[in-house]
Amino acid sequence: MTGPAPQRSEKDVVIRLRGIRNQFGSHVVHDGLDLDVYRGEILGVVGGSGTGKSVLLRSIAGLIRPAAGEIEVLGTDVRSASEEERTALERRWGVMFQDGALFSSLNVRENVEVPMRGVAGLDPALRRAMADLKISLSGLPWLAGDKFPSELSGGMRKRAGLARALALDPEIVFLDEPTAGLDPIGAADFDTLIRQLSDTMGLTVFLVTHDLDTLHAICDRIAVLAEKKVLVTGTMDEMLEVDHPWVHDYFHGPRARAALTAKDMKDAR
């Protein structure tokens, strides 16, 4: 809950953030932010509008450079890593953005192949076969590989983005609002897919979301961003005990109660 994270061995921490400060001009988004992410867990990151959930994800993935602080991923200092070290590290994680961020001029298979093209000596036929495997793992029909992003539904574009994030068999996957815009059935199916992939592939998942159903269904721990830092981390049960006003309202409001009821009904089946 509040205070230090649960005791784990040092090798279990795959992402370590200390003293992160992100600001844009005079606007400070994060100040003194600390967070540990453990190997094999699904961590849900939540917070109010403007708390910098996606900014934090992009900072860890090296797409934004914080003004201060330390970022260590899989034992590598992201901020001081050489180009060679950074390239090697980026092959150990995958990123899925909200809308999939697919290249519109490439079909799904070609989009999934993009990260593989940086691997020297990879045979094109093998690259194509690997892309088709990742497309299948993402839950898309095999015919989807030949389709362009404009021919896909929103849910299919998200799955294609996930397939690309899985292209290099990463150890960590960053997901930015993966169920946003999906209907309840589609969102539930996507949650199930993430849980299955995490379990079967041993993935660590850093998941930015506002979806309470997702938090209940698949997240092992939750990190709440507020007051420019990670205010609290813990399980869903622990979140329900936090007396901070925003945290209490978020996890005890009407939508939270509906999500909890839905989970209880599912568990009872």
Side-chain angles (χ1 to χ4, degrees):
M1 202 160 61
T2 54
Q7 293 297 311
R8 306 226 184 175
S9 65
E10 286 296 308
K11 66 179 180 180
D12 285 332
V13 178
V14 293
I15 300 174
R16 179 181 285 107
L17 309 180
R18 294 293 183 269
I20 299 300
R21 180 181 177 89
N22 276 307
Q23 67 182 96
F24 302 94
S26 61
H27 178 56
V28 178
V29 180
H30 304 132
D31 192 14
L33 183 151
D34 297 339
L35 178 66
D36 287 341
V37 182
Y38 302 116
R39 185 178 304 278
E41 77 172 342
I42 299 180
L43 178 74
V45 179
V46 302
S49 178
T51 54
K53 300 181 292 295
S54 294
V55 170
L56 182 60
L57 182 156
R58 290 168 181 265
S59 297
I60 301 170
L63 302 174
I64 293 175
R65 184 173 179 82
E70 301 174 5
I71 301 175
E72 184 180 293
V73 181
L74 295 168
T76 297
D77 185 334
V78 173
R79 301 190 71 199
S80 65
S82 67
E83 185 174 349
E84 182 179 357
E85 290 171 330
R86 178 154 186 86
T87 297
L89 183 60
E90 288 176 351
R91 291 179 180 174
R92 300 174 69 186
W93 73 48
V95 184
M96 175 192 153
F97 298 104
Q98 274 194 49
D99 58 358
L102 301 172
F103 296 104
S104 59
S105 61
L106 303 179
N107 65 28
V108 169
R109 183 181 299 104
E110 291 166 339
N111 265 283
V112 176
E113 287 183 40
V114 167
M116 302 179 194
R117 293 182 181 276
V119 180
L122 189 60
D123 181 76
L126 178 58
R127 190 174 64 220
R128 178 186 175 96
M130 291 173 62
D132 285 339
L133 173 61
K134 298 308 165 30
I135 290 168
S136 177
L137 284 174
S138 72
L140 287 171
W142 67 274
L143 287 173
D146 294 320
K147 294 185 178 296
F148 288 86
S150 61
E151 300 176 285
L152 303 177
S153 67
M156 292 178 74
R157 284 195 297 273
K158 286 179 180 290
R159 288 176 183 265
L162 177 61
R164 187 173 63 187
L166 297 174
L168 297 179
D169 294 325
E171 297 171 54
I172 301 172
V173 174
F174 298 99
L175 306 178
D176 193 358
E177 297 283 7
T179 60
L182 298 181
D183 63 78
I185 295 175
D189 287 345
F190 204 94
D191 286 342
T192 299
L193 174 64
I194 296 302
R195 180 79 264 176
Q196 290 173 342
L197 290 173
S198 175
D199 291 342
T200 58
M201 299 177 68
L203 294 174
T204 301
V205 180
F206 184 99
L207 188 157
V208 170
T209 186
H210 68 278
D211 191 330
L212 284 154
D213 289 323
T214 296
L215 296 174
H216 277 287
I218 66 170
C219 291
D220 300 303
R221 284 195 308 143
I222 299 164
V224 178
L225 297 189
E227 302 173 9
K228 302 178 183 178
K229 61 185 179 181
V230 175
L231 182 71
V232 60
T233 62
T235 64
M236 177 59 75
D237 287 342
E238 290 172 326
M239 292 298 108
L240 297 174
E241 300 299 322
V242 177
D243 61 3
H244 184 277
W246 188 90
V247 179
H248 183 275
D249 289 347
Y250 187 84
F251 290 101
H252 289 269
R255 293 191 177 186
R257 290 194 294 271
L260 179 58
T261 299
K263 180 180 184 298
D264 288 343
M265 292 177 63
K266 182 178 180 181
D267 291 344
R269 291 173 186 170

